[in-house]
Amino acid sequence: MAPGAKKGILERLDAGEIVFGDGGFVFALEKRGYVKAGPWTPEAAVEHPEAVRQLHREFLRAGSNVMQTFTFYASDDKLENRGNTPRFSGQQINEAACDLAREVANEGDALVAGGVSQTPSYLSCKSENDVKAIFKKQIDVFVKKDVDFLIAEYFEHVEEAEWAVQVLKSTGKPVAATMCIGPDGDLNGVSPGDCAVKLIKAGAHIVGINCHFDPMTCVKTVKMMKEGVEKAGLKAHYMCQPLAYHTPDCNCQGFIDLPEFPFSLEPRILTRWDMQQYAREAYNAGIRYIGGCCGFEPYHVRALAEELAPEKGSLPQGSEKHGIWGSGLEMHTKPWVRARARRDYWENLKPASGRPFCPAMANPDGWGVTKGHADLMQQKEATSKDQLKVLFDKSNKSN
């Protein structure tokens, strides 16, 4: 390795190092007013680069070792889906996102990962060649910008994830692949273990889970992947980037089926102490790439880094402003708050929601809609009032 060069993702993982990912840019920037809920597309990389840059910096300060390009849903077919009129091309967005991630990564020891995700083209039953062509356009930008490694993330169907990995593998760069599934497997019923085996055979070096479910459910699912991989006599590294929301009541499609999705999920947010428990569970399960997805904020990543500081050998910069296990409260003016400056207090606390008339659990939707269903066929035109009425009527009947 050249003097001053950073170790690559596989070098770090091969050495047993912990790698902390970042968090959920789409949700975080939507809350800050830079992303529109619904399309969830990342035009902010071009429109408001200062916002994306600042969020990268906050995650870097919190301990993230990977700056993932803000390219979720940045494929051309998604950018022009259902009336979303693109002001910028996919190439412009992907290039801007790469530049921002690299700028901030160079401020520390972080790597840059270029990411692709599932496509409307696949849901609309386009051919393998058509879907791969969508990925190829994004990958060409990542190669041009020389990202450090590639991630295929947020796939509900392992078939599409395999296609993505095959395209990513062609670059010669390290490839990670994560699916947004739970213990029941993908939406065609392929088990987590079998999904992982397929992804490794397609060319992935790192496999795991992201989004749709809470940390403990995701860790459980990665364990199932690991069991399947070992049974098949294969090897891989493992990663986990879950939601920052509690989802014990979710079905196979995860939090998008919850009635609270996406605008009323706040009561489900994990505390920093929950995140420390997640970090420990993930580490004990053999997962070494540990990060987050929707709902994750920088303080959540800092909690991961603080929990595993003994194993990592260091604390992030952000811990300069945070007393471990609440020790900073020793400086508080109120004595009863000073009395909370201890681990056992926060570790054993049962947080109240302050909502006496709200249930602890929800009744998730279960429409059973997946690839090939008429309701999932994508279109460039905006959803019509007649189309919405059909959906409203169906929703009312199911509730």
Side-chain angles (χ1 to χ4, degrees):
M1 189 167 63
K6 297 177 182 178
K7 287 194 291 185
I9 186 65
L10 295 182
E11 291 174 281
R12 298 180 190 209
L13 294 174
D14 286 344
E17 293 183 25
I18 301 166
V19 173
F20 293 116
D22 53 13
F25 269 59
V26 171
F27 267 46
L29 289 170
E30 190 277 332
K31 287 181 171 65
R32 290 160 169 79
Y34 299 105
V35 166
K36 187 174 185 178
W40 304 109
T41 45
E43 292 89 346
V46 180
E47 293 174 330
H48 299 285
E50 74 287 350
V52 178
R53 183 185 296 110
Q54 176 62 23
L55 191 55
H56 275 308
R57 283 192 173 129
E58 290 178 20
F59 277 113
L60 181 70
R61 180 175 171 79
S64 295
N65 304 122
V66 175
M67 298 292 104
Q68 196 166 327
T69 58
F70 185 39
T71 52
F72 179 78
Y73 277 168
S75 60
D76 286 336
D77 62 339
K78 181 61 179 176
L79 291 169
E80 58 186 19
N81 193 45
R82 292 201 173 274
N84 189 41
T85 304
R87 294 177 52 207
F88 308 98
S89 68
Q91 180 174 343
Q92 288 175 300
I93 294 170
N94 283 281
E95 287 185 350
C98 287
D99 290 342
L100 291 167
R102 177 63 69 190
E103 177 187 347
V104 177
N106 285 345
E107 296 173 5
D109 189 38
L111 301 173
V112 175
V116 301
S117 46
Q118 65 182 10
T119 63
S121 292
Y122 181 81
L123 293 178
S124 298
C125 301
K126 295 290 181 67
S127 70
E128 177 179 348
N129 286 339
D130 287 342
V131 174
K132 284 185 171 181
I134 294 289
F135 295 136
K136 181 67 163 53
K137 290 182 74 172
Q138 283 189 270
I139 295 307
D140 286 345
V141 174
F142 298 150
V143 171
K144 174 185 174 183
K145 293 294 184 178
D146 196 25
V147 301
D148 298 305
F149 69 103
L150 301 165
I151 300 178
E153 68 166 4
Y154 196 80
F155 287 88
E156 297 172 307
H157 303 86
V158 71
E159 180 182 55
E160 187 184 15
E162 288 179 273
W163 295 352
V165 169
Q166 288 163 4
V167 176
L168 270 56
K169 180 186 177 184
S170 69
T171 66
K173 292 181 178 291
V175 175
T178 57
M179 299 193 65
C180 51
I181 63 173
D184 291 336
D186 84 344
L187 295 189
N188 288 325
V190 181
S191 72
D194 286 344
C195 285
V197 168
K198 288 176 180 290
L199 294 174
I200 293 168
K201 288 183 176 180
H205 304 93
I206 308 163
V207 295
I209 298 295
N210 85 294
C211 206
H212 274 205
F213 295 93
D214 61 38
M216 295 310 174
T217 302
C218 289
V219 169
K220 176 182 178 181
T221 309
V222 176
K223 286 181 180 179
M224 296 170 72
M225 284 185 152
K226 190 169 183 282
E227 290 171 4
V229 170
E230 292 173 351
K231 184 177 180 180
L234 300 173
K235 291 185 177 180
H237 295 292
Y238 298 94
M239 67 186 291
C240 191
Q241 301 212 104
L243 299 174
Y245 304 108
H246 292 285
T247 62
D249 41 355
C250 280
N251 55 29
C252 67
Q253 292 225 36
F255 81 143
I256 58 173
D257 277 356
L258 291 174
E260 303 99 316
F261 177 87
F263 298 128
S264 297
L265 289 164
E266 284 81 0
R268 293 175 176 265
I269 292 176
L270 275 75
T271 68
R272 63 195 70 195
W273 320 118
D274 293 328
M275 290 299 179
Q276 294 204 201
Q277 183 183 6
Y278 153 52
R280 183 56 56 189
E281 290 291 327
Y283 184 84
N284 289 344
I287 301 166
R288 292 296 178 266
Y289 189 136
I290 305 171
C293 199
C294 299
F296 261 73
E297 292 283 346
Y299 76 94
H300 288 131
V301 171
R302 182 179 64 188
L304 307 181
E306 289 181 348
E307 174 63 27
L308 295 176
E311 290 80 3
K312 182 79 169 175
S314 62
L315 283 167
Q317 275 187 305
S319 292
E320 295 171 3
K321 296 293 185 180
H322 185 244
I324 304 299
W325 288 106
S327 61
L329 297 180
E330 296 169 2
M331 304 169 70
H332 203 279
T333 56
K334 307 298 183 183
W336 59 90
V337 178
R338 292 199 297 274
R340 299 170 188 164
R342 63 188 195 277
R343 176 173 180 165
D344 64 313
Y345 177 87
W346 295 110
E347 215 166 24
N348 296 312
L349 182 70
K350 305 294 184 187
S353 71
R355 297 174 178 269
F357 302 109
C358 290
M361 302 279 215
N363 294 314
D365 290 324
W367 286 22
V369 174
T370 188
K371 179 195 175 187
H373 192 283
D375 289 345
L376 268 188
M377 292 298 172
Q378 304 302 299
Q379 61 190 50
K380 289 187 179 181
E381 301 78 21
T383 307
S384 69
K385 291 183 178 180
D386 287 342
Q387 288 174 320
L388 286 172
K389 184 178 185 305
V390 171
L391 297 178
F392 295 160
D393 290 344
K394 184 174 181 179
S395 178
N396 289 334
K397 289 178 182 178
S398 65
N399 291 333

